[in-house]
Amino acid sequence: MHAAKHTLSPSLPAEPRLAGDLAIWIFILAELLAFGLFFAAYAFARAHDPALFAPEQEALNRNAGAINTALLLTASYFVVRAVHAAEAGRGRQGARWLLAALGCAGGFVVIKLAEYVAAFNAGISLSSSTFHMFYLSLTFFHFMHVLLGMVILGALWLNARRGRYGPRDMNGIESGAAYWHMVDLVWLVLFPLVYVIR
Amino acid sequence: MKYQSQAVALPYFVAAIGLFVGQILFGLVMGLQYVVGDFLFPEIPFNVARMVHTNLLIVWLLFGFMGAAYYLVPEESETELYCPRLALALFWVFLAAGALTILGYLLVDYATLAKYTGNDVLATMGREFLEQPLLTKIGIVVVALAFLFNITMTVLKGRKTSITVVLLLGLWGLAIFFLFSFYNPTNLVLDKFYWWWVVHLWVEGVWELIMAALLAFVLIKVTGVDREVIDKWLYVIIALALVTGIIGTGHHYYWIGAPGYWQWWGSIFSALEPIPFFAMTVFAFNMVNRRRREHPNKAAVLWALGTGVMAFLGAGVWGFLHTLAPVNYYTHGSQITAAHGHMAFYGAYVMVVITIISYAMPILRGRACNSRKAQVLEMWSFWLMTIAMVFITLFLTAAGILQVWLQRISDSPMPFMAVQGQVSLFYWLREISGVIFLIGLIAYLVSFFVKDGDKPATT
């Protein structure tokens, strides 16, 4: 995502340029604020009652969480490749990278759903304990963002296949990519916070 | 006026302003009853005055929204209204239904009204803001559906813009959520739970879409800024409004018997509700700063900017003040709620309706803008009403803080009525501010009749 390629005169230093649309960044900041508040609330509640949180945290499936982390990171890598491909004028090739990213995101969804099924079978609900409330709320809120991210990646994929993105038209793919990276970034905080740190 | 059928907006705007006057008069009656308890008793008891005050507000805002839609949609869609005669017929139906309902409140006692209007067939009455008799509620649904039919058909046959899409989304949402006023479970928790689906999802959900659409329309007209820029912001604002507003409903579920997780969900999401309002403020000022023309209707620009600021303060800041569960535990249902309600309704919905009236009314009366003298008077009315509302809010907030302290926090809590006596000074001050608001409102009314050689202001 180097701005230099877009400037007409390569000898001049590139102007700082925002990748993607300003509107999506406003939206991303609002999203991060929402997650940030949720994380802060979690930290606040946990500090009040670490003894309650510890055994229930222990019971979570950390392997599923780790695999999901790898899946989201890989998806993000594929999205980066798609953006690079579009920038290099190989937008259609980028479509394949986007499809691969969608595949990883789909894997995340499947594993997460399996986790939810196990949790519900174990009698975990929003009202069963404060930790469970946070676990379900945080992960489900994030889960919904993964689904939205997949809708966005799907739209990017359709457009990329039609050859819409290229060095002259990066706004759409960069905006969508920025959103996906936000989804990934939030998980990178959420996973250690809820699953690992004790 | 670009399209002949936009003229149907005129009676709606006139009725809106007329009912607004009624609302303020009853507000003053109530304000006085706070300190002179038997004022106008038994003719107009406090509960009736309150019902009339709040119901008139809702009805006149609905008149304003409908008038705004009839004015805006043909112009945005670049086509005449689908059926102007239907719009005019609905006006009289709605006005008659509204007037009969208010007369019913005032002339008959509430139980008798309920008996004669079919409340025993389907009990829907007796709930705050939804006090309307069954017949009136059905009337509202019929009028709303016919209105939506008319507006939707107009949009479908003409140009589709983001403004009309957002407006339609808001108006349809308004009608759909009103249907929950017919659902009245005997379980009090469930009753309250769904009651908020009307009340909250209106003012902190779909009405925000209507507000954003009206504001965007007026801003495009008075600034000449590119539609593309406004479109993008409009979508960001409504996405933020819906995400924070829908789950933010949880801030009403804290102490009513709903599950405990609502304290977290409600606190977190409603804490974010000021963001879309803030975005609207930034958006309004940004557009005006980037204006590509000097619109001669300065008063309309002032109202538009005022809407941004006051909505953020009233809905955003005063809402945040008591939205977190641990705070709300103490402040729930105190005068702090009343403070927030007053400034939020005024800043968001009253002002946006006046904004569109201010922009459209001169055009409906055959000129681009009013004379300079009329505009100056209108701007005076802006400042008088707005500053009076700021003081009403501040005095109620002070009363609320004192009330919460004396009644709920202190080591020796006092009973409700004893506390009311203690805070009466603030109620008097609020009533004086209310009188100043009325003076502002009178100035606003007079501004429609100012004749200054009838020369429109030019720049």
Side-chain angles (χ1 to χ4, degrees):
Chain A
M1 294 189 218
H2 293 293
K5 288 182 186 165
H6 298 296
T7 51
L8 293 171
S9 156
S11 58
L12 290 172
E15 267 182 56
R17 191 186 67 93
L18 186 68
D21 206 294
L22 178 65
I24 194 77
W25 283 104
I26 302 279
F27 198 69
I28 286 173
L29 286 176
E31 295 269 28
L32 289 178
L33 194 57
F35 274 108
L37 272 181
F38 236 130
F39 291 151
Y42 173 82
F44 175 79
R46 190 181 176 280
H48 267 263
D49 200 352
L52 169 86
F53 277 56
E56 289 176 345
Q57 267 182 295
E58 185 73 42
L60 293 184
N61 187 343
R62 262 174 308 285
N63 290 334
I67 295 170
N68 267 346
T69 310
L71 281 172
L72 284 190
L73 277 173
T74 315
S76 260
Y77 169 74
F78 290 155
V79 169
V80 170
R81 292 301 298 257
V83 172
H84 281 306
E87 210 166 27
R90 290 178 275 111
R92 281 169 220 277
Q93 194 188 349
R96 286 201 284 278
W97 287 116
L98 287 168
L99 201 59
L102 266 173
C104 289
F108 177 95
V109 168
V110 170
I111 292 177
K112 197 80 231 158
L113 283 176
E115 248 188 276
Y116 283 143
V117 170
F120 292 138
N121 286 338
I124 289 174
S125 75
L126 281 172
S127 302
S128 57
S129 81
T130 308
F131 174 75
H132 289 153
M133 193 287 293
F134 273 110
Y135 164 68
L136 290 176
S137 302
L138 274 169
T139 56
F140 185 72
F141 190 43
H142 177 263
F143 183 76
M144 296 302 285
H145 283 78
V146 173
L147 293 186
L148 178 60
M150 287 177 74
V151 171
I152 291 173
L153 290 183
L156 293 183
W157 174 66
L158 282 178
N159 282 334
R161 258 164 44 111
R162 294 187 193 123
R164 185 173 148 186
Y165 304 120
R168 286 172 176 281
D169 187 1
M170 292 295 289
N171 194 47
I173 194 166
E174 282 181 348
S175 304
Y179 188 83
W180 180 262
H181 293 320
M182 185 275 292
V183 173
D184 187 14
L185 177 70
V186 167
W187 178 259
L188 288 182
V189 179
L190 199 163
F191 173 60
L193 195 66
V194 176
Y195 286 72
V196 184
I197 298 174
R198 278 190 294 281
Chain B
M1 196 163 53
K2 286 185 183 152
Y3 296 90
Q4 215 51 48
S5 52
Q6 286 177 289
V8 297
L10 188 72
Y12 282 88
F13 289 155
V14 172
I17 295 170
L19 297 174
F20 182 25
V21 174
Q23 186 216 343
I24 299 311
L25 293 177
F26 276 89
L28 285 170
V29 167
M30 260 171 88
L32 197 55
Q33 285 172 338
Y34 263 88
V35 275
V36 185
D38 54 2
F39 178 63
L40 287 184
F41 187 82
E43 285 76 20
I44 306 177
F46 177 82
N47 62 318
V48 172
R50 186 179 192 276
M51 193 159 67
V52 174
H53 179 64
T54 56
N55 279 226
L56 276 176
L57 168 70
I58 297 165
V59 172
W60 88 256
L61 288 179
L62 291 180
F63 266 111
F65 289 163
M66 287 196 267
Y70 286 131
Y71 182 84
L72 176 160
V73 169
E75 194 159 326
E76 282 290 294
S77 303
E78 296 182 333
T79 175
E80 292 288 353
L81 198 62
Y82 181 76
C83 184
R85 287 174 63 188
L86 176 63
L88 221 47
L90 289 177
F91 168 77
W92 291 109
V93 172
F94 197 42
L95 189 65
L100 284 176
T101 305
I102 298 297
L103 287 177
Y105 289 161
L106 290 171
L107 301 178
V108 189
D109 75 89
Y110 195 66
T112 316
L113 185 66
K115 198 175 135 198
Y116 286 116
T117 52
N119 199 54
D120 46 351
V121 180
L122 177 64
T124 66
M125 292 173 72
R127 291 173 297 164
E128 201 182 358
F129 309 131
L130 303 180
E131 295 96 343
Q132 307 83 30
L134 181 64
L135 291 174
T136 309
K137 286 199 181 86
I138 294 171
I140 292 174
V141 172
V142 171
V143 168
L145 286 180
F147 157 75
L148 281 169
F149 167 75
N150 207 354
I151 290 291
T152 309
M153 291 307 280
T154 312
V155 171
L156 287 180
K157 79 180 166 105
R159 180 177 69 146
K160 283 106 195 144
T161 67
S162 57
I163 289 181
T164 52
V165 169
V166 171
L167 183 68
L168 272 185
L169 203 62
L171 292 169
W172 274 102
L174 185 154
I176 287 166
F177 287 119
F178 184 69
L179 295 179
F180 284 96
S181 71
F182 291 93
Y183 182 52
N184 189 7
T186 38
N187 180 323
L188 199 59
V189 176
L190 284 179
D191 174 21
K192 276 287 178 193
F193 195 93
Y194 290 108
W195 180 78
W196 286 114
W197 285 30
V198 188
V199 177
H200 173 97
L201 291 179
W202 265 20
V203 298
E204 293 171 60
V206 291
W207 282 29
E208 283 183 48
L209 307 193
I210 299 171
M211 176 192 170
L214 299 187
L215 204 55
F217 174 78
V218 173
L219 287 171
I220 285 184
K221 295 293 165 188
V222 298
T223 64
V225 168
D226 270 351
R227 196 169 271 278
E228 276 177 20
V229 181
I230 286 185
D231 283 359
K232 193 180 292 170
W233 282 101
L234 194 56
Y235 283 123
V236 171
I237 287 170
I238 66 151
L240 293 173
L242 289 180
V243 168
T244 59
I246 292 173
I247 309 179
T249 316
H251 66 178
H252 301 291
Y253 293 164
Y254 296 160
W255 328 112
I256 66 168
Y261 54 81
W262 282 113
Q263 289 179 32
W264 294 100
W265 282 80
S267 297
I268 290 168
F269 282 91
S270 67
L272 297 168
E273 279 189 54
I275 296 176
F277 283 107
F278 185 68
M280 253 187 267
T281 315
V282 174
F283 164 69
F285 275 87
N286 212 341
M287 291 305 113
V288 171
N289 285 337
R290 290 161 70 170
R291 67 188 177 273
R292 286 155 59 173
R293 71 166 79 108
E294 290 296 334
H295 198 278
N297 193 340
K298 301 275 181 241
V301 179
L302 181 64
W303 282 109
L305 292 177
T307 305
V309 174
M310 295 303 289
F312 172 65
L313 283 178
V317 177
W318 254 263
F320 180 76
L321 214 62
H322 56 143
T323 200
L324 300 177
V327 176
N328 193 270
Y329 181 73
Y330 291 103
T331 62
H332 193 91
S334 67
Q335 289 299 326
I336 292 175
T337 312
H340 162 56
H342 278 84
M343 200 194 248
F345 261 112
Y346 175 74
Y349 301 119
V350 170
M351 288 182 88
V352 81
V353 168
I354 298 185
T355 300
I356 187 118
I357 291 178
S358 178
Y359 171 74
M361 203 63 150
I363 300 172
L364 288 168
R365 295 167 84 195
R367 49 183 181 259
C369 67
N370 288 326
S371 67
R372 179 170 297 277
K373 206 168 150 191
Q375 284 199 45
V376 168
L377 188 60
E378 190 181 339
M379 289 195 240
W380 266 98
S381 79
F382 168 93
W383 288 110
L384 280 170
M385 285 196 278
T386 304
I387 292 173
M389 185 50 80
V390 168
F391 277 99
I392 288 174
T393 307
L394 289 175
F395 291 138
L396 286 178
T397 308
I401 292 171
L402 200 57
Q403 179 193 9
V404 167
W405 181 262
L406 293 175
Q407 198 179 311
R408 298 178 179 171
I409 295 181
S410 90
D411 291 334
S412 47
M414 292 165 71
F416 177 83
M417 283 314 286
V419 172
Q420 294 300 302
Q422 293 291 314
V423 300
S424 64
L425 172 67
F426 292 109
Y427 290 149
W428 276 113
L429 292 171
R430 181 269 298 268
E431 183 71 354
I432 294 167
S433 310
V435 171
I436 292 169
F437 190 97
L438 178 68
I439 294 169
L441 180 58
I442 292 168
Y444 179 66
L445 295 179
V446 173
S447 79
F448 286 94
F449 302 101
V450 168
K451 290 204 171 25
D452 181 31
D454 271 338
K455 264 194 202 149
T458 45
T459 47

